[in-house]
């Protein structure tokens, strides 16, 4: 029997660490792994190691015992400070005496952390770019990545459980928030707005994933004319807020509220959870809407749809590639001003929104 298929015959793990060092959306998409672990090992304490700026995505997840963060600001305070903080983190993790570590990340740093924990079972992925003796040395088992090119990111993540004898193809993602998060949102909304609003998140930190402002304005105007109030949201970046301002300028008579740049991710989650509909581009809020089971209309351009389409989504995904040719996602200059979503007609987005709302 190979290490990749060896079942977990030792005692049930009491302490588990899950490692993922990526972006906000990536963190949300590891929650099916965490939930599967919780179901299989109900008495285990499950911890997560992530980049500190992504903590909000998992901070209210009740399946997680403790979150540890690597703060990328450490580096800005000098090499000595960085080494001191990372050494402190390593020592803290080793003291937890983990029985099982799942390294979902592909960085050498994550492999070193995995090895240093001293856990008797340390599982990583057999990434082609990491076929090196040291990567193997850091892990006791390597899960196959052979089928990853045809799998959604959630399914790729779940495949790390195969060496434990856990074969799972699907599990729900989970986005948590507190009652205080929702109360903060309510305080920012007009008192007369008691329900029935639509959240529109037109921005992404990568503008090539965005639709043209005047088309989003047209969608908002149409839905406002149908009697819905639209709540516009965005990240705090000045370019994103400027994009929202341009959209608002095209919606002079619309029933519209802007909370652009005013919400934390968990507060945004609360807002989306209470919405009738979410409309947005390929971004973190889109994945949040899917995880919260809020009906959605998602606009996709030259992203890898197989990997990144909204998981467990209720609603419709509109892909610009159905209207014309798109460049290879791996060949895109992320700094480009090109708006690839402009292939999508505004009429189709309005029609999709009305179908989902019906």
């Amino acid at each position: 029997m190979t290490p990749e298929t060896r079942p977990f015959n030792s005692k049930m793990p009491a302490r588990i660490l899950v490692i993922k060092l990526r972006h906000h959306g990536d963190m949300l998409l590891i929650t099916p792994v965490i939930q599967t672990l919780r179901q299989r090992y109900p008495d285990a304490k499950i911890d997560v190691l992530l980049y500190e700026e992504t903590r909000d995505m998992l901070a209210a997840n009740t399946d997680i015992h403790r979150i540890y963060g690597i703060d990328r600001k450490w580096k800005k305070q000098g090499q000595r400070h960085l080494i001191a903080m990372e050494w402190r983190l390593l020592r803290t993790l080793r003291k937890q005496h983990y029985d099982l570590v799942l390294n979902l990340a592909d960085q050498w740093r994550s492999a070193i952390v995995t090895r240093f924990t001293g856990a008797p079972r340390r599982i990583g992925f057999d990434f082609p770019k990491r076929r090196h003796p040291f990567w193997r040395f850091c892990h006791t088992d390597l899960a196959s990545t052979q089928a990853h090119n045809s799998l959604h990111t959630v399914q790729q993540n779940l495949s790390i459980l195969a060496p434990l004898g856990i074969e799972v193809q699907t599990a729900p993602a989970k986005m948590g928030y507190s009652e205080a998060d929702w109360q903060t949102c309510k305080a920012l909304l007009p008192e007369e707005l008691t329900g029935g609003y639509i959240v529109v998140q037109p921005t992404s930190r990568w503008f090539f994933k965005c639709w043209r402002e005047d088309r989003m304005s047209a969608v908002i105007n149409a839905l406002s004319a149908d009697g819905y109030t639209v709540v516009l949201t965005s990240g705090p970046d000045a370019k994103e807020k400027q994009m929202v301002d341009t959209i608002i300028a095209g919606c002079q008579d619309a029933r519209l509220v802007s909370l652009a740049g005013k919400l934390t991710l968990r507060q945004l989650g609360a807002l989306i959870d209470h919405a009738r509909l979410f409309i947005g581009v390929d971004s973190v809020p889109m994945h949040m809407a899917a995880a919260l089971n809020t009906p959605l209309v998602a606009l996709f351009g030259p992203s890898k749809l197989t990997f990144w389409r909204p998981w467990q989504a209720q609603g419709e995904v509109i892909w610009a590639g159905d209207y014309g040719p798109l460049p290879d996602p791996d060949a895109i200059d992320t700094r480009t001003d090109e708006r690839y979503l402009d292939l999508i007609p505004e009429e189709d987005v309005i029609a999709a929104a009305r179908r989902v709302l019906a």
Side-chain angles (χ1 to χ4, degrees), residues 136-325:
R136 180 75 207 192
F137 170 74
C138 291
H139 304 88
T140 62
D141 304 83
L142 294 177
S144 174
T145 60
Q146 188 172 358
H148 278 197
N149 282 340
S150 62
L151 298 177
H152 190 278
T153 301
V154 166
Q155 295 170 312
Q156 294 176 28
N157 290 335
L158 286 169
S159 70
I160 202 167
L161 301 173
L164 299 173
I166 303 173
E167 300 286 349
V168 180
Q169 291 297 316
T170 184
K174 185 176 181 180
M175 176 70 200
Y177 62 87
S178 67
E179 179 60 25
D181 293 322
W182 171 233
Q183 292 302 323
T184 298
C185 292
K186 286 180 68 175
L188 295 172
L189 295 171
E191 290 185 11
E192 64 273 13
L193 183 58
T194 57
Y197 63 84
I198 296 169
V199 173
V200 173
Q201 170 92 18
T203 63
S204 164
R205 64 180 178 142
W206 290 299
F207 270 54
F208 74 87
K209 293 185 176 184
C210 298
W211 208 26
R212 209 167 63 215
E213 290 86 342
D214 61 333
R215 297 194 177 183
M216 196 62 82
S217 296
V219 171
I220 292 170
N221 288 331
L223 295 175
S224 177
D226 289 346
Y228 297 101
T229 297
V230 172
V231 181
L232 267 171
T233 61
S234 80
D237 184 81
K239 286 181 66 177
E240 291 190 43
K241 291 196 285 186
Q242 178 56 55
M243 183 177 177
V244 170
D245 288 341
T246 303
I247 291 169
I248 292 172
C251 303
Q252 295 295 325
D253 300 318
R255 301 167 60 174
L256 182 62
V257 177
S258 177
L259 297 183
K262 297 180 181 179
L263 303 176
T264 67
L265 282 171
R266 283 193 293 161
Q267 290 165 358
L268 177 59
L271 181 76
I272 292 171
D273 195 27
H274 288 80
R276 285 282 306 276
L277 174 68
F278 173 87
I279 301 175
V281 297
D282 175 18
S283 63
V284 176
M286 177 208 70
H287 291 295
M288 291 165 61
L292 291 161
N293 294 313
T294 298
L296 60 77
V297 175
L299 310 185
F300 264 80
S303 299
K304 294 181 179 179
L305 202 58
T306 299
F307 295 173
W308 299 112
R309 67 182 302 119
W311 183 250
Q312 74 194 31
Q314 300 181 33
E316 298 192 20
V317 175
I318 301 177
W319 182 48
D322 286 333
Y323 299 90

Side-chain angles (χ1 to χ4, degrees), residues 37-56:
L37 289 169
R38 168 62 58 228
Q39 292 172 348
R40 183 58 62 100
Y41 310 120
D43 297 325
K45 292 180 178 179
I46 303 171
D47 297 344
V48 175
L49 174 65
L50 44 64
Y51 282 136
E52 187 60 41
E53 67 265 25
T54 67
R55 179 182 291 263
D56 228 16

Side-chain angles (χ1 to χ4, degrees), residues 329-350:
D330 293 327
I332 291 174
D333 178 0
T334 58
R335 298 166 296 178
T336 182
D337 292 327
E338 186 73 31
R339 298 287 185 90
Y340 299 107
L341 266 65
D342 285 354
L343 291 168
I344 301 173
E346 60 197 50
E347 296 83 4
D348 286 15
V349 178
I350 294 168

Side-chain angles (χ1 to χ4, degrees), residues 21-42:
L21 306 175
R22 289 292 290 172
H23 307 300
H24 291 84
D26 298 89
M27 302 317 301
L28 189 63
L29 297 182
I30 72 168
T31 58
V33 172
I34 295 168
Q35 186 171 84
T36 301
L37 289 169
R38 168 62 58 228
Q39 292 172 348
R40 183 58 62 100
Y41 310 120

Side-chain angles (χ1 to χ4, degrees), residues 228 276 351-358:
Y228 297 101
R276 285 282 306 276
R354 286 172 173 160
R355 284 194 298 270
V356 176
L357 286 164

